[in-house]
Amino acid sequence: MATEAGKRSGRKTALLGSIMLVCALTLSACASKDDDDLALDDTPAEVLFNEGLALRNAGRLSDAGKKFSEVDKTYPYSEYARKSLINLAYINFSLGRYAETINAADRFITLYPGSEDAAYALYLKGQSYQRQIPDITRDQKITEQAAQTFSELIQRYPNSEYTPDAKAKLLMAEDQLAGKEMQVGRYYLERRNYIAAINRFKTVVINYQTTRHVEEALFRLTEGYYALGVVNEAQTAAAILGHNYPDSQWYKDAFSLLQKGGYEPFENKSSWISRAFQGVSVF
């Protein structure tokens, strides 16, 4: 009996020793992990930032992004956080992460509106929207956001190196928006919903005069107003079309349409169409 009791006591002692060893190892591992975390937190911002730059220059963009994110989180509002944030916007854009680019750009503009990189942040934001512009048959909300962003860049930073390209991209976005208005306007016109059609063409004439769609819009206004019997507005639309685009086929078609009813183009200076073309500015 004593021998058996001794054996049981020995097994208990061994088991207790094993448990204590496991606990010791676990605590050691946790302590090691904590030490690693503390070491990471203690890494100077300059070191983390330069490591990020080295990784970016080596083409390891995802790894670079992690370094810049670490700077942004660990040293907020520092000079290196500012530099890291604009680098994050660039890296996300390069990787096609457009939502993340827009978020980083917005944060940068909010935190550092007076920075020399604020124009670049807006430029990246605008390009992120532009890269997502859908075809003309779909909703154009993103196209509107692209146009708004490029407009903001042009207005706030007129002398920026990014402004000339922003102007070109703004015209492209506006052309897309005008094209959508024309598509919807033609749809209504074909169904003889002339008021709805005219409102769409009116938007093109007022808001998108620098696009390639304005010629057709003026002809469609001639067509729509003539169908409604509002001859003076039809004449004005044709006259404005002829004055600005005398060699256009759209003008020839508008002239022929009026001629069938015994009319000809004639500008009514008090018409909204005439007023819309007074003082037109082109970039």
Side-chain angles (χ1 to χ4, degrees):
M1 294 292 292
T3 301
E4 187 62 30
K7 289 181 179 180
R8 287 198 299 269
S9 176
R11 285 197 295 270
K12 289 181 180 179
T13 301
L15 179 60
L16 181 60
S18 298
I19 293 172
M20 292 177 67
L21 177 61
V22 170
C23 290
L25 290 173
T26 301
L27 289 171
S28 176
C30 290
S32 176
K33 184 176 184 299
D34 289 342
D35 289 343
D36 289 342
D37 289 342
L38 289 172
L40 180 62
D41 291 341
D42 288 341
T43 304
E46 182 179 5
V47 172
L48 287 172
F49 178 76
N50 287 332
E51 288 176 351
L53 284 183
L55 289 167
R56 189 195 73 177
N57 294 336
R60 296 171 58 184
L61 298 184
S62 293
D63 292 332
K66 293 176 183 177
K67 291 290 183 181
F68 293 132
S69 293
E70 187 65 29
V71 177
D72 183 38
K73 293 175 182 176
T74 310
Y75 302 96
Y77 311 113
S78 67
E79 177 186 357
Y80 291 104
R82 175 179 61 79
K83 293 179 179 180
S84 293
L85 189 53
I86 194 65
N87 272 279
L88 273 173
Y90 164 77
I91 286 172
N92 283 322
F93 179 76
S94 299
L95 293 174
R97 300 170 180 169
Y98 300 127
E100 290 85 349
T101 303
I102 293 166
N103 180 60
D106 279 338
R107 286 185 58 224
F108 188 91
I109 295 162
T110 299
L111 292 172
Y112 314 105
S115 169
E116 60 183 11
D117 290 322
Y120 182 54
L122 272 173
Y123 183 62
L124 289 176
K125 179 181 176 181
Q127 287 197 98
S128 295
Y129 283 129
Q130 188 185 44
R131 294 287 180 89
Q132 301 178 79
I133 290 178
D135 65 73
I136 201 70
T137 62
R138 300 174 62 187
D139 181 79
Q140 297 298 308
K141 178 63 177 178
I142 287 180
T143 312
E144 292 176 1
Q145 292 172 314
Q148 290 168 2
T149 304
F150 288 130
S151 292
E152 182 180 358
L153 170 56
I154 294 164
Q155 292 169 6
R156 292 178 60 178
Y157 307 100
N159 299 319
S160 167
E161 63 182 295
Y162 307 106
T163 297
D165 193 48
K167 289 179 178 179
K169 286 180 165 59
L170 173 60
L171 290 176
M172 293 171 59
E174 288 182 337
D175 193 82
Q176 179 85 351
L177 292 171
K180 180 63 177 182
E181 295 294 330
M182 294 301 299
Q183 181 200 39
V184 177
R186 290 189 214 99
Y187 172 86
Y188 286 130
L189 196 63
E190 289 170 1
R191 286 154 183 78
R192 300 183 180 182
N193 189 345
Y194 298 118
I195 298 297
I198 286 170
N199 285 334
R200 294 290 181 164
F201 303 135
K202 183 176 182 178
T203 298
V204 175
V205 166
I206 292 176
N207 297 330
Y208 306 117
Q209 289 182 7
T210 57
T211 71
R212 60 193 171 94
H213 298 285
V214 71
E215 295 177 48
E216 183 185 352
L218 285 166
F219 168 72
R220 298 300 180 188
L221 284 170
T222 304
E223 195 175 23
Y225 277 125
Y226 188 78
L228 285 174
V230 187
V231 177
N232 62 329
E233 292 289 65
Q235 290 176 294
T236 298
I240 295 295
L241 178 55
H243 176 75
N244 289 279
Y245 310 97
D247 299 323
S248 170
Q249 182 61 48
W250 294 115
Y251 173 61
K252 295 175 183 178
D253 292 342
F255 189 89
S256 297
L257 177 63
L258 291 174
Q259 216 174 28
K260 290 178 181 178
Y263 303 101
E264 61 182 22
F266 179 79
E267 183 178 357
N268 176 6
K269 296 290 186 178
S270 64
S271 167
W272 73 264
I273 305 172
S274 179
R275 294 196 304 273
F277 278 84
Q278 295 173 8
V280 177
S281 61
V282 181
F283 290 129

